[in-house]
Amino acid sequence: MSEEKVSAAQVEQPLPAGTVIARRRKALGFSQETLAEKLDVSRQAVAKWESGQAFPTAERLAELCRVLEVTPGELLGLEEPQKKKRPWGLIVFAAGLILLWGVGLLLLPGNGGRTITLCWTLLNLSLLWGIGWLLALAARALWKYVSR
């Protein structure tokens, strides 16, 4: 539970690492207590890291990066955070709905009494598509939660 002390000149200007630690902790929904438990340190140690009064030891730094899902370079402010990937799942979902309704609307002219049936079918397929999408998101979130 030991931390390296930072000089008084550095305390006046918070370390970039402290800002990164605080931001990532909050983004992941962790309290200082939760992060401290995951790293086997005190809550006060985490508070000192975030305020720039102390810095994690080398042993803690690797574990901190793993828990906060950042690289050491990102934590130390030496490199930019990696940009988020495009939400390909959402793009595929939207494209599927557009395709489903586009083809369905193209089939509408000349169908006579089957128009209502076709629209009802398209609506039901859209709802099933959306439910499948939500189940996939829930399964992904559950997997991330369980695998921590």
Side-chain angles (χ1 to χ4, degrees), residues 9-130:
Q10 290 174 324
V11 170
E12 294 173 8
Q13 187 177 26
L15 296 172
T19 305
V20 173
I21 293 169
R23 279 191 198 145
R24 285 301 301 157
R25 175 182 61 77
K26 291 173 185 173
L28 293 169
F30 296 158
S31 64
Q32 286 184 340
E33 292 85 9
T34 304
L35 182 59
E37 288 173 8
K38 289 182 177 289
L39 297 171
D40 195 30
V41 296
S42 67
R43 187 204 57 78
Q44 290 81 4
V46 173
K48 286 181 181 180
W49 297 343
E50 290 181 358
S51 68
Q53 295 175 355
F55 193 76
T57 62
E59 298 85 27
R60 297 270 186 245
L61 188 61
E63 184 67 12
L64 181 63
C65 289
R66 186 190 65 75
V67 170
L68 294 180
E69 301 170 2
V70 295
T71 65
E74 291 171 356
L75 184 69
L76 298 173
L78 302 174
E79 61 187 50
E80 291 294 319
Q82 296 176 354
K83 292 187 177 184
K84 290 210 170 213
K85 297 179 182 177
R86 291 185 182 213
W88 289 110
L90 186 58
I91 293 168
V92 169
F93 174 70
L97 282 180
I98 290 168
L99 183 64
L100 178 69
W101 279 91
V103 170
L105 292 177
L106 288 175
L107 296 175
L108 278 179
N111 267 344
R114 292 183 287 179
T115 301
I116 293 174
T117 304
L118 181 60
C119 285
W120 183 251
T121 302
L122 289 173
L123 180 63
N124 285 327
L125 287 174
S126 298
L127 289 173
L128 286 173
W129 187 276

